[in-house]
């Protein structure tokens, strides 16, 4: 007799995403039978490291669109993860449907793949925690796929080193670290500051990127008196846009305090967009001074109001040392190009590459230190990587 059990892996309460794990012989067959596939029939033998998409139904009614991932197929430990929207009612209805199909709901600890003392178990728990906070479908898909890919990749690094292939192991680890630099922005919002002179179109651009009117827009200089925080998603990447007060000389004490406060806030951002008015001429030297002040956070030069007939043209945009894009918040011209530049500047992993990525930023930092020190002895490399994984300091 097949025994099937399930549990909710994500924390209780309302969230963006909930994950329900089903384990036992025939888990895939049962779960896939309750779901209408959105991409052709589900296979009899699902692939690991593959996400399947469909609608979980209750009779003729669709409960929710869900993602399925299989971490183990065949045998009594066959395991399927169902990712759905995190509303309490959605989770309750899916659990009820599973119960009606013969699945027993149990405590999550009873279904853990690994003991909490193992680094694989810790890594999976961190992935589940981040998944519960994911605010975009892209972020959720990324984390679901990585919870199997990443442990396998790290085990491969250790195996290469233990077999004496120190150089190959180090190169593999270095590639993993490099392509993971912006991975954290798929589970936590990147902070992007819109900076520049007054009346350059920063607030209009922020509204356009957020796809809603959030910041107040007017022709009067100094309309934005304090920085405004706007939650948004750019190409599936969660971001927080900071629309700052335009920098200008003013006798208004309150406005000057707002400008200074905005400058301090910009210093803590991950990326800055320097927005300048393309309709009223462009002073290259002034732009260069702005970029120098922004330093390493200067990411993209945005020439706004490209829909105006008198918008400036640049003979050589390479002189600024950063990507340059012309946009119109009014018509949408250049917005898609700007979005792609933002994702590239943040080093967010490409969905199409489908490779293992370090979704734990603290683990990436610890492994990065090993790569920077470049140990040459294979045995030393294997031992150091294993020590980092076992230490669990990256879970804190």
């Amino acid at each position: 007799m097949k025994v099937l059990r399930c549990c909710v892996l994500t924390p209780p309460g309302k969230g963006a995403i909930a994950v329900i794990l089903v384990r036992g012989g025939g888990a895939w067959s049962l779960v896939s039978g309750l779901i209408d596939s959105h991409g052709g029939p589900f296979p009899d033998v699902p692939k690991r490291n593959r996400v399947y998409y469909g609608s979980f139904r209750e009779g003729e009614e669709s409960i929710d669109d869900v993602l399925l991932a299989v971490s183990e197929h065949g045998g009594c430990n066959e395991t399927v993860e169902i990712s759905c929207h995190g509303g309490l009612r959605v989770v309750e209805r899916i659990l009820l449907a599973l119960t009606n199909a013969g699945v027993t709901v149990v405590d999550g600890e009873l279904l853990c793949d690994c003991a909490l003392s193992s680094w694989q178990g810790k890594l999976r728990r961190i992935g589940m925690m981040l998944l519960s906070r994911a605010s975009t479908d892209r972020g959720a898909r990324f984390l679901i796929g990585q919870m199997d890919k990443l442990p396998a990749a790290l085990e491969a690094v250790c195996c290469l080193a233990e077999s004496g292939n120190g150089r190959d192991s180090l190169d593999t680890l270095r590639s993993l670290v490099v392509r993971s630099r912006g991975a954290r922005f798929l589970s936590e919002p990147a902070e992007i500051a819109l900076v520049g002179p007054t009346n350059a179109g920063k607030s209009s651009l922020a509204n356009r990127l957020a796809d809603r009117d959030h910041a107040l827009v007017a022709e009067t200089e100094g309309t934005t008196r304090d920085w405004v925080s706007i939650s948004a998603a750019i190409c599936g990447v969660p971001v927080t846009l900071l629309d700052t007060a335009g920098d200008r000389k003013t006798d208004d004490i309150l406005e000057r305090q707002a400008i200074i406060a905005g400058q301090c806030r910009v210093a803590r951002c991950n990326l800055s967009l320097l927005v300048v008015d393309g309709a009223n001429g462009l002073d290259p030297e002034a732009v260069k001074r702005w970029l120098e002040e922004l330093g390493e956070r200067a990411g993209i030069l945005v020439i706004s109001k490209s829909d105006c007939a008198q918008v400036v043209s640049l003979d050589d945009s390479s002189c600024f040392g950063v990507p340059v894009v012309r946009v119109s918040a009014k018509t949408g011209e250049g917005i898609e190009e700007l979005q792609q530049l933002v994702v590239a500047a943040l080093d967010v992993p490409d969905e199409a590459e489908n490779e293992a990525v370090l979704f734990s930023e603290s683990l990436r930092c610890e492994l990065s230190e090993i790569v920077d020190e470049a140990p040459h002895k294979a045995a030393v490399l294997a031992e150091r990587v294993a020590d980092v994984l076992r230490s669990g300091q990256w879970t804190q």
Side-chain angles (χ1 to χ4, degrees), residues 194-195 197-220 223-224 228 230 232 241-246 273 275-277 302-308 327-333 335 338-339:
L194 282 73
V195 302
T198 58
N199 208 31
K202 297 185 294 297
S203 297
S204 296
L205 179 59
N207 288 339
R208 185 79 189 203
L209 290 172
D211 198 27
R212 65 186 186 278
D213 290 338
H214 191 106
L216 184 63
V217 176
E219 293 295 329
T220 306
T223 299
T224 303
V228 178
I230 307 172
L241 301 173
L242 296 176
D243 177 24
T244 64
L273 309 183
V275 184
V276 296
D277 186 349
V302 182
I303 301 176
S304 67
K305 307 179 184 180
S306 64
D307 54 291
C308 297
V327 304
S328 169
K330 183 177 181 180
T331 67
E333 178 186 351
I335 296 298
L338 173 58
Q339 291 172 328

Side-chain angles (χ1 to χ4, degrees), residues 177 363-375 384 388:
V177 168
L363 178 57
R364 188 195 71 82
C365 290
E366 291 203 36
L367 294 178
S368 180
E369 291 181 7
I370 295 177
V371 170
D372 292 340
E373 294 171 10
R384 292 197 61 186
V388 166

Side-chain angles (χ1 to χ4, degrees), residues 57-79:
R57 67 174 187 273
E58 185 179 34
E60 298 299 319
E61 182 184 358
S62 175
I63 298 176
D64 192 26
D65 286 344
V66 299
L67 298 173
L68 301 182
V70 178
S71 56
E72 184 174 344
H73 184 262
C76 61
N77 286 326
E78 184 166 291
T79 305

Side-chain angles (χ1 to χ4, degrees), residues 226-245:
D226 198 357
W227 55 267
V228 178
S229 176
I230 307 172
S231 296
I234 294 179
C235 300
V237 179
V239 300
T240 299
L241 301 173
L242 296 176
D243 177 24
T244 64

Side-chain angles (χ1 to χ4, degrees), residues 26-59:
W28 169 255
S29 177
L30 182 140
V31 172
S32 61
L34 298 173
I35 296 171
D36 291 328
S37 171
H38 289 338
F42 289 126
D44 293 332
V45 180
K47 295 180 180 179
R48 289 186 60 179
N49 301 332
R50 165 79 186 273
V51 175
Y52 298 91
Y53 178 47
S55 295
F56 201 110
R57 67 174 187 273
E58 185 179 34

